[in-house]
Amino acid sequence: MNNKNDNNILIEIIDKKILLIKINKSERSNAIDKKTADDLYNIFKEFEDDDNLLIGILCGSGDNFCSGADLKEVSKGIENSNRILSPKETDYAPLGCTRLQLSKPVICAINGYCVAGGLELALWCDLRVSTRSSIFGVFCRRWGVPLIDGGTIRLPRLIGQSRAMDLILTGRSINGEEAFQIGLVNRLVESKDDLINHSITLAKQIISNPQQTLRSDRKSSLDQWSLNLNDALFNEYQLGLKSFLNQGLNGSKSFNNGQGRHGQPISKL
């Protein structure tokens, strides 16, 4: 994947391993129309297939992350290229990427409004970095627009059923501080100027770890939601055994040889 820009999405590759994806519709609070959804879907599919890229960072341009679906376009009806297809038909979602099951992690960098479908995009990501002043909420509640990009599933799984119901039923807003307190946000920064740098630092920390083991543990954590306990344990065992034989065994030998102790780097596994 090469650095490229269009009217809706800006892309930058950082240190050859980190893909920065920026929604570039600040004049519409980065609302997602059909073309932008198409772009997000295609970009993340390319990201998944590019072995050189290890992690993604999703953010928004201007003063906001994303205000959700472009309701001006939605108001035109499903006969105007807005048809919503079932997950049983396609992995393409109304917002483009939110049905994709990637093998690599994605960080969401959040400033300003992260509401309605924008919140669903953030929930799809693995980790969320936010400014303290950011605003989160199911703002589509007031217009009768449902959550159909995973919001009713991922929000309860992330912060618990009771807190999720509060946000889903009331449509109220919370700031970055409260989002951090309830586990919706993983890291807080003071200002927009710190946001991308902190997200890149976090991305570099993640990709400094042995990738096969990291990805297999990530996959087990995601898979287990649809499995009973015994099947989840067996899935963890299968994934873990493969990554242990490929990386963990060498890692334990490195430990035995004195490498990697007290946070020191170790040779490539």
Side-chain angles (χ1 to χ4, degrees), residues 7-8 23-31 33 36 61-64 67 70 72:
N7 292 330
N8 296 301
I23 305 168
N24 186 39
K25 297 184 65 185
S26 58
E27 75 285 354
R28 299 280 298 125
S29 299
N30 295 319
D33 58 13
T36 308
S61 63
D63 295 327
N64 299 291
S67 59
D70 188 334
K72 286 188 176 180

Side-chain angles (χ1 to χ4, degrees), residues 185-200:
V185 164
N186 302 94
R187 303 281 195 279
L188 275 182
V189 297
E190 295 300 326
S191 70
K192 174 184 173 183
D193 293 337
D194 302 325
L195 184 61
I196 297 301
N197 286 338
H198 190 97
S199 298
I200 291 172

